[in-house]
Amino acid sequence: MQHLGTGIGWRPEIADAVEAMPGIDWVEAVAENVCPGRLPDSLERLRGRGVTVVPHGVSLGLGGADRPDERRLADLAARAEALGAPLVSEHIAFVRAGGARTASRLLEAGHLLPVPRTRDALDVLCENVRIAQDALPVPLAVENIAALFGWPGEELSQGQFLYELVERTGVRLLIDVANLHTNHVNRGEDPAKALDELPVEAIAYVHVAGGFERDGVWHDSHAHPVSQPVLDVLADLASRVTPPGVLLERDENFPDDLGELEREVAAVRETVAAAAAPGPEPAAPCPAPA
């Protein structure tokens, strides 16, 4: 897998700061907010400097009952080509339901909703992922989401669900360690157990983001500094495998002192370096001839 390094989510509100930030190897842009024919000047300048730009989709709804919309897939492919991206990413989620083939009007959730971890839902997700892979000019990575609830009758753990998805489709994984922490607080799911079960060798890159806890519920806000428990999950992951890329997400409530974001990126980089997975054992020297 391509080495991406350390990056930050590119947002128009912090475009100047991202360009000036030292040590940024790559950025991620929300795909639906980028027009292939008129890329933002900031992204063009970053690309000109050799900074990799990855489009991150939020509207495909790969976990929905319907097949992925051809127009949305074509739009995502066009963005990947316009940005010269080595891969694209989306979410393991559904975002809409109803429509022409049902008795309900089409409903857009405006949110990433969790896919039931059942065999039937996995079959649908695998087929939708294969369709997306065939339509995209570059590899696809899919992200685990933060969930406020779980569906009744689930048959697989989070790690088992991701393992089977990768085994059946060959898709890459975007692991969000903040979402693993969110699911730990809200659903009692142990991040270490999930990391034990999922195929870490399939990880394309990692998300890190901030949030806050209120009344026993963790809110994955992307609007607060990264907490130590999230960095601890990142360290656990990095002790198992060296992720090809790690990226800080911040979507709103940007600090007045943008140096705060720079320090967070540095903390992410240092956490991965300190916990780096050991390489292969060096070969034993040959014994000296008698």
Side-chain angles (χ1 to χ4, degrees):
M1 289 182 194
Q2 178 169 334
H3 177 76
L4 294 169
T6 306
I8 189 170
W10 182 91
R11 304 293 183 264
E13 297 89 340
I14 56 171
D16 292 342
V18 170
E19 286 188 63
M21 200 175 289
I24 294 299
D25 303 309
W26 67 292
V27 299
E28 182 190 72
V30 176
E32 287 79 357
N33 293 342
V34 176
C35 178
R38 291 186 58 183
L39 294 179
D41 292 341
S42 174
L43 287 181
E44 291 282 27
R45 287 192 293 269
L46 287 168
R47 291 183 64 233
R49 285 166 33 191
V51 175
T52 299
V53 182
V54 172
H56 182 52
V58 297
S59 65
L60 273 185
L62 293 172
D66 288 335
R67 296 297 176 242
D69 181 83
E70 292 182 2
R71 179 183 57 81
R72 294 179 190 274
L73 281 173
D75 287 346
L76 186 55
R79 283 154 176 78
E81 291 176 332
L83 293 167
L87 77 163
V88 299
S89 58
E90 246 291 353
H91 299 83
I92 300 171
F94 72 92
V95 296
R96 66 186 60 86
R101 286 191 253 176
T102 73
S104 303
R105 63 185 178 86
L106 181 65
L107 300 174
E108 291 280 348
H111 192 71
L112 299 168
L113 296 172
V115 176
R117 294 183 201 143
T118 64
R119 297 285 178 189
D120 287 344
L122 181 60
D123 288 344
V124 172
L125 175 63
C126 286
E127 182 61 22
N128 287 347
V129 164
R130 291 189 197 99
I131 291 170
Q133 288 172 312
D134 290 343
L136 294 169
V138 293
L140 171 67
V142 290
E143 179 181 358
N144 59 302
I145 70 164
L148 287 172
F149 65 91
W151 296 99
E154 292 192 325
E155 301 164 331
L156 300 164
S157 68
Q158 182 171 205
Q160 291 168 337
F161 194 82
L162 295 176
Y163 186 94
E164 290 208 25
L165 174 64
V166 170
E167 187 175 54
R168 291 170 58 175
T169 66
V171 74
R172 300 180 182 185
L173 295 177
L174 159 51
I175 295 300
D176 190 314
V177 293
N179 292 350
L180 290 178
H181 174 68
T182 302
N183 294 344
H184 172 59
V185 176
N186 296 347
R187 301 185 57 181
E189 296 179 343
D190 183 3
K193 181 175 184 291
L195 293 175
D196 284 340
E197 293 176 339
L198 64 83
V200 293
E201 68 280 359
I203 293 176
Y205 64 96
V206 173
H207 271 172
V208 184
F212 66 96
E213 187 173 348
R214 179 183 295 157
D215 298 329
V217 176
W218 186 266
H219 299 269
D220 182 45
S221 66
H222 291 198
H224 295 77
V226 176
S227 67
Q228 187 58 49
V230 171
L231 291 177
D232 291 343
V233 179
L234 174 64
D236 187 4
L237 185 153
S239 71
R240 301 163 185 261
V241 66
T242 302
V246 184
L247 181 129
L248 173 70
E249 286 189 294
R250 187 70 172 257
D251 292 332
E252 58 183 343
N253 192 28
F254 300 106
D256 294 331
D257 175 16
L258 292 175
E260 181 181 317
L261 294 180
E262 189 175 318
R263 291 188 288 274
E264 284 199 86
V265 171
V268 167
R269 183 186 296 110
E270 290 160 9
T271 297
V272 172
E281 290 290 329
C286 295

